[in-house]
DNA sequence: TTGAAAGCGCTAACAC
DNA sequence: GTGTTAGCGCTTTCAA
């Protein structure tokens, strides 16, 4: 069944059917009514492939994420999908596992499917791949790492704001030895968080000795291993901040195994504020980065470039703030770090 | 740039280019080499829409899940995607929130995009919707609830096996008052779990008094509320089984709030065995239902029907077992339920 | 306002 | 083994 059947059934031309479906205003209301009736009676669904082929617009956006299994991303996917449906767009989703090879295949598939734009929520991509995309005038949106090109937007996450709040919070609770469980070093958005931590510590005049920053790979297992390392130090940290919530969960779990009480013996702060953060035991203090807002920004960035008729400016920027969400995984240090006593030297 | 450009550049006909791309074996190796070279040099990507339009096969499978935010589903999505890529298929993913209206829109979009089959991981669908799909000879795979039609497969989850193990485990630890936090009552796969629980309890000769089965809606919040209700009973349960892991996390969290120790004062068992189950505190005992295996079965069910040339049998069935995974959230009852003492009546 | 017809990029049937 | 060509289902001129 195709557009011709509808035309026949409604006794109009296929052009009129097409116009009706596309809500072209010049169609005679009577004819339109006949067409809709026919569509309904025959249960006709237009063939999107054919429409795409002729119109050149697929109404599909690609969404590239590193790992659907990390609870931060389902939140994004869900929000992105919600908006997409609203605007009558479809999503082509891929998890790449931060693997360049899979990323490449994903992008290739997206080009083949003629997506109208791609939101890249991973750590950027190789120059050559980007060439392919940009060569095809494909609107792109990145988190932090997009190059300053027309049709390429960036969502700049203001890591510093939330991180500063977190360090401030810890410092005001007399924490001095604060460790940081970072993400994968090759992930730009992770190194940006590490940097923000170092800056915030410096601002407070707090030192970050060697070995107090250790990678947790943004996984539970990574967090586990990271804290194991941290706990083995002679000067064990009294607080640890994590580059994401999942690794914070790993840290808490390892602390539990070692008999270290959170928050009494150890404060921990996560990053992302995933839904579950509120429900782990104890409820996790975290630096929120709104998944809904992020998805919304990304979608609209793409949409703006798709709908733009004039040639677009280079490198549009959007901003997303972060903020500390206090829960129960932080507390004042129980015994302040023993400092060389200045009173009574004898 | 299209197939014609490649043909020109390689000095062959477009048919030869098409054949080369599709690995038709009769193409002269020399010509093929020229074609691949041209493809590479010009950076040509075939247009999938055009291919679909003429071949009638989109190489897209729809994947319908209730809620991407429930950590059980990302595991499925990931596994499904992995296999799909392997077979050169694409996925159209939708979360429906178990809402019939959204489900309807999702299915409509899938038909419009000419998907080759749909895996429906939710609680079934309205008769009429199914008609639409089946009318179009669309291969379908359901969990448990598919009707016995040709081109419709079912994956039968053997809930009873794991649930029986769980009840057995609890019973052997002297638990008698065992509660069940069920899923949404309108969700067939959830009622199947409840039923399995009731059966297993009956087999053990254990009673399930009124009010000991309460809905947790398969969400953390639902689990929270459910246990609040359970904890308020005069005869509080010594163990609670949950219809999924997420609600079990809610239960544990509420117990923590109420100062009830898991597992010493309360044993809890989840269902699904999500990745995180191993990492919550305490590590959650759960009934595993392999997400990878489920995705694999679903994909191959669809693939089998797509590739079938003869007319297919009605209602192919696949089976997936469940099994108890012991961790730290269960323990023997501390003080056995006080029974009317039979010795020394005076 | 409506219809006829060209053509989007490709596959497949058929002819050579 | 290779090329020519019809046509997949639709949108979009253009003419009426």
């Amino acid at each position: 069944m195709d557009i011709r059947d509808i035309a026949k059934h409604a006794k109009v031309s296929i052009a009129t059917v097409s116009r009706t479906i596309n809500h072209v205003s010049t169609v005679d209301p009577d004819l339109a009514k006949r067409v809709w009736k026919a569509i309904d009676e025959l249960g006709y669904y237009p063939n999107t492939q054919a429409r795409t082929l002729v119109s050149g617009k697929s109404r599909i956006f690609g969404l590239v994420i590193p790992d659907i299994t990390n609870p931060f991303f389902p939140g994004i996917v869900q929000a992105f999908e919600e908006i997409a449906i609203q605007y009558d767009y479809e999503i082509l989703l891929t998890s790449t596992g931060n693997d360049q090879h899979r990323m490449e295949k994903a992008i290739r598939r997206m080009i083949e499917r003629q997506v109208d734009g791609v939101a890249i929520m991973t750590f950027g991509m190789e120059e050559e791949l980007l060439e392919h995309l940009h060569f095809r005038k494909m609107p792109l949106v990145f988190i932090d790492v997009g190059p300053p090109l027309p049709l390429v937007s960036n969502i700049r996450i203001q890591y510093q704001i939330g991180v500063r709040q977190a360090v401030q919070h810890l410092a005001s609770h007399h924490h001095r030895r604060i460790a940081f469980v970072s993400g994968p070093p090759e992930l730009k958005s992770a190194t940006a968080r590490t940097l923000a931590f170092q800056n915030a510590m410096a601002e407070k005049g707090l030192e970050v000795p060697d070995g107090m920053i250790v990678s947790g790979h943004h996984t539970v297992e990574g967090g586990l291993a990271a804290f194991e390392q941290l706990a083995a130090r002679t000067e064990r940290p009294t607080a640890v901040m994590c580059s994401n919530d999942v690794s914070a969960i790993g840290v808490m779990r390892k602390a539990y195994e070692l008999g270290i009480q959170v928050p009494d013996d150890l404060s921990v702060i996560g990053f992302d504020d995933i839904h579950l953060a509120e429900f782990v035991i104890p409820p996790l203090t975290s630096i929120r980065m709104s998944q809904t807002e992020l998805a919304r920004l990304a979608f609209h960035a793409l949409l703006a470039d798709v709908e733009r008729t004039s040639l677009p400016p280079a490198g549009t920027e959007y901003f997303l703030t972060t903020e500390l969400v206090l829960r129960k995984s932080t507390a004042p240090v129980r015994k302040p770090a023993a400092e060389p006593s200045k009173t009574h030297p004898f």
Side-chain angles (χ1 to χ4, degrees), chain A:
Chain A
M1 153 161 27
D2 61 16
I3 202 173
R4 270 175 287 266
D5 297 315
I6 303 303
K8 223 170 288 174
H9 197 265
K11 301 193 196 311
V12 296
S13 71
I14 63 168
T16 299
V17 177
S18 174
R19 289 192 191 102
T20 305
I21 290 171
N22 291 298
H23 302 102
V24 173
S25 57
T26 59
V27 179
D28 182 296
D30 279 356
L31 288 198
K33 207 169 290 174
R34 283 206 333 250
V35 170
W36 285 120
K37 188 153 164 284
I39 287 174
D40 200 45
E41 283 176 13
L42 302 189
Y44 166 73
Y45 288 25
N47 182 325
T48 318
Q49 322 282 344
R51 298 174 101 164
T52 300
L53 186 57
V54 33
S55 72
K57 305 262 123 241
S58 64
R59 295 196 85 83
I60 302 179
F61 281 148
L63 179 56
V64 179
I65 59 176
D67 178 15
I68 184 77
T69 263
N70 172 341
F72 179 65
F73 292 101
I76 292 182
V77 172
Q78 165 154 288
F80 201 89
E81 186 190 332
E82 208 126 304
I83 309 172
I85 290 177
Q86 217 170 292
Y87 282 84
D88 216 5
Y89 270 79
E90 207 71 55
I91 299 174
L92 226 46
L93 178 71
T94 331
S95 317
T96 62
N98 276 329
D99 168 339
Q100 273 301 329
H101 183 78
R102 288 181 57 176
M103 166 80 102
E104 197 178 316
K105 290 193 62 173
I107 295 297
R108 156 163 225 114
R109 277 157 36 224
M110 294 195 172
I111 294 176
E112 289 183 355
R113 298 270 173 200
Q114 315 290 127
V115 301
D116 291 342
V118 185
I120 294 157
M121 304 286 183
T122 59
F123 63 99
M125 56 197 335
E126 282 168 3
E127 192 64 32
E128 193 198 327
L129 252 188
L130 202 137
E131 282 297 322
H132 266 297
L133 255 7
H134 197 247
F135 171 66
R136 287 177 171 73
K137 308 222 184 315
M138 183 89 78
L140 259 29
V141 55
F142 286 85
I143 296 182
D144 293 322
V145 298
L149 258 34
L151 286 177
V152 175
S153 319
N154 263 298
I155 298 171
R156 303 269 173 213
I157 312 286
Q158 298 172 308
Y159 300 109
Q160 196 69 60
I161 298 177
V163 171
R164 190 181 286 136
Q165 289 171 1
V167 169
Q168 166 68 47
H169 168 70
L170 254 19
S172 74
H173 281 39
H174 313 297
H175 289 277
R176 293 292 170 273
R177 289 199 307 279
I178 305 175
F180 191 78
V181 173
S182 74
E186 67 279 12
L187 209 167
K188 289 244 183 69
S189 64
T191 53
R193 292 173 190 197
T194 307
L195 209 62
F197 168 73
Q198 290 169 315
N199 287 342
M201 289 292 278
E203 282 173 20
K204 276 277 143 200
L206 260 24
E207 273 184 52
V208 184
D210 273 2
M212 284 294 259
I213 297 184
V214 4
S215 173
H217 297 102
H218 280 181
T219 62
V220 185
E221 290 86 344
L224 236 43
F227 187 66
E228 184 157 35
Q229 209 172 315
L230 254 13
R233 294 173 61 87
T234 44
E235 293 251 284
R236 186 199 287 164
T238 61
V240 13
M241 287 177 56
C242 300
S243 188
N244 75 348
D245 283 345
V246 171
S247 51
I249 291 174
V251 166
M252 292 208 291
R253 170 60 194 286
K254 178 55 78 178
Y256 163 82
E257 274 174 29
L258 298 176
I260 298 170
Q261 295 294 322
V262 175
D264 294 341
D265 299 330
L266 179 77
S267 288
V268 1
I269 297 184
F271 204 117
D272 285 346
D273 193 30
I274 60 177
H275 180 239
L276 220 55
E278 191 179 340
F279 300 109
V280 294
I281 298 170
L284 181 65
T285 290
S286 185
I287 297 169
R288 169 175 300 161
M289 175 170 151
S290 165
Q291 300 158 58
T292 317
E293 190 59 18
L294 183 55
R296 212 185 59 74
L297 286 173
F299 186 88
H300 285 290
L302 254 23
L303 198 63
D305 277 347
V306 166
E307 293 182 339
R308 206 188 302 279
T309 47
S310 60
L311 74 165
T316 316
E317 305 225 323
Y318 302 83
F319 292 91
L320 182 64
T321 192
T322 59
E323 55 174 333
L324 186 67
V325 179
L326 279 179
R327 285 196 274 257
K328 304 281 179 208
S329 63
T330 52
V333 288
R334 192 180 262 177
K335 19 178 183 185
E339 302 211 25
S341 178
K342 295 220 175 88
T343 49
H344 306 297
F346 295 109

